[in-house]
């Protein structure tokens, strides 16, 4: 066959009805792909007819009323105070006799310890800590539960004399504290104070350059709101384990 007749036969493409097309399993692999694409191209989708009947409604079960009574929010006065230990509170005879006089005579002062450093405080004092206390914001109320001294004008209550504190420069020991169930000391965070900008010049031997180091420290300011020594009746009501010697 001549090349002109072959080209004419290749260009002479005519439409063939689908009834005359042989089945796909008799066609080669490329012809099967062309046949499937041709059938999907001319396939039309009929729009879904909306049904005249509404969909059945599913009944929603009604919530079962709870028989448990709602818990009332706990007031700050009814919340349990943190305790240093679970040991029972032991009151000697002398403490039972003098504690009512100390509780009745006001104002009281306290030697509170923060990071083992004592601070002599009374109600209304303003305390500027030598460091910045993290995790607090102005307006927060804190309770100081470590104290080594409680007193008034005529009476003084001290912690035990068997102290393990080492009074050297390192202060590696821990002082003895009074039981925190005997008193209440609350302070309010007033704000944060900033010190002046300090510039320090650092030098090294046999070197001409100087290093300027600037630092500005921040300090937390507290105000003492309450210093209270509890009486025997209040200790008997609040203490779970009270031993009277």
């Amino acid at each position: 066959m001549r090349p002109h007749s072959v080209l004419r036969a290749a260009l002479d493409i005519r439409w063939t009805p689908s009834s005359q097309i042989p089945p796909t399993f008799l066609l080669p692999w490329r012809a099967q792909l062309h046949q499937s694409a041709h059938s999907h191209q001319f396939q039309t989708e009929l729009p879904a007819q909306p049904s005249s009947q509404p969909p059945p409604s599913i009944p929603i079960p009604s919530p079962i009323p709870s028989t448990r009574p709602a818990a009332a929010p706990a007031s700050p006065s009814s919340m349990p105070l943190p305790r240093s230990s679970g040991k029972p509170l032991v009151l000697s005879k002398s403490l039972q006799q003098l504690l009512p006089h100390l509780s009745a005579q006001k104002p009281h002062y306290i030697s509170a310890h923060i990071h083992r450093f004592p601070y002599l405080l009374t109600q209304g004092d303003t305390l500027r800590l030598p460091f910045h206390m993290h995790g607090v914001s102005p307006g927060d109320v804190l309770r100081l539960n470590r104290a080594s001294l409680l007193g008034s004008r005529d009476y003084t209550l001290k912690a035990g004399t068997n102290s393990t504190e080492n009074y050297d420069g390192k202060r590696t020991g821990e002082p003895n504290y009074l039981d925190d169930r005997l008193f209440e000391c609350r302070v309010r965070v007033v704000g944060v104070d900033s010190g002046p900008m300090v510039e320090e010049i650092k030098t090294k031997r046999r070197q001409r350059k100087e290093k300027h180091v600037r630092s500005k420290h921040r300090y937390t300011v507290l105000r003492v709101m309450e210093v209270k020594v509890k009486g025997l009746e209040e200790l008997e009501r609040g203490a779970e384990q009270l031993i009277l010697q």
Side-chain angles (χ1 to χ4, degrees):
M1 184 180 294
R2 296 183 180 181
H4 297 283
S5 59
V6 174
L7 182 59
R8 187 181 299 106
L11 294 178
D12 189 9
I13 301 174
R14 297 181 181 180
W15 177 80
T16 307
S18 58
S19 59
Q20 299 180 5
I21 298 177
T24 55
F25 63 89
L26 296 178
L27 298 175
W29 185 69
R30 294 181 179 272
Q32 293 180 11
L33 293 180
H34 178 73
Q35 179 69 17
S36 60
H38 181 76
S39 60
H40 285 294
Q41 181 180 3
F42 293 97
Q43 184 178 2
T44 58
E45 297 182 358
L46 297 178
Q49 298 180 0
S51 59
S52 59
Q53 299 180 358
S57 60
I58 302 175
I60 301 176
S62 60
I64 302 175
S66 176
T67 58
R68 181 180 300 179
S75 59
S77 59
S78 62
M79 295 178 64
L81 298 176
R83 297 180 179 179
S84 57
S85 60
K87 298 181 181 179
L89 180 59
V90 181
L91 300 180
S92 60
K93 293 182 178 180
S94 60
L95 187 58
Q96 297 177 29
Q97 296 175 359
L98 299 178
L99 187 60
H101 300 282
L102 175 60
S103 177
Q105 192 178 38
K106 297 180 181 181
H108 300 114
Y109 63 88
I110 184 175
S111 179
H113 289 247
I114 302 176
H115 294 318
R116 298 181 299 177
F117 289 93
Y119 300 93
L120 188 62
L121 305 172
T122 186
Q123 185 174 354
D125 290 351
T126 300
L127 174 62
R128 180 186 178 188
L129 297 177
F131 59 90
H132 175 54
M133 183 180 294
H134 296 276
V136 297
S137 57
D140 293 348
V141 178
L142 310 178
R143 181 176 183 264
L144 305 181
N145 59 348
R146 291 187 176 182
S148 60
L149 181 66
L150 287 174
S152 62
R153 185 177 66 253
D154 299 330
Y155 301 94
T156 302
L157 178 61
K158 296 182 180 180
T161 56
N162 297 329
S163 178
T164 59
E165 184 176 7
N166 187 9
Y167 287 95
D168 56 359
K170 298 181 180 179
R171 298 181 64 88
T172 56
E174 185 75 14
N176 289 342
Y177 301 118
L178 296 171
D179 198 311
D180 58 351
R181 290 169 283 187
L182 294 174
F183 64 93
E184 289 184 6
C185 180
R186 288 183 171 84
V187 297
R188 185 184 299 275
V189 181
V190 178
V192 179
D193 192 9
S194 300
M197 180 68 71
V198 180
E199 183 175 358
E200 183 180 359
I201 301 176
K202 294 186 177 182
T203 59
K204 292 184 179 180
R205 290 183 178 180
R206 296 179 295 274
Q207 292 187 8
R208 296 183 179 181
K209 60 182 180 180
E210 297 178 349
K211 184 177 181 181
H212 295 257
V213 179
R214 297 180 179 86
S215 61
K216 187 174 183 179
H217 300 279
R218 295 188 298 170
Y219 310 98
T220 303
V221 183
L222 307 176
R223 178 170 295 172
V224 183
M225 306 299 297
E226 180 185 8
V227 177
K228 176 184 176 182
V229 180
K230 298 182 180 180
L232 287 178
E233 298 180 357
E234 190 174 357
L235 290 176
E236 291 176 358
R237 292 194 306 266
E240 298 178 358
Q241 299 178 0
L242 181 62
I243 299 178
L244 303 177
Q245 295 181 353

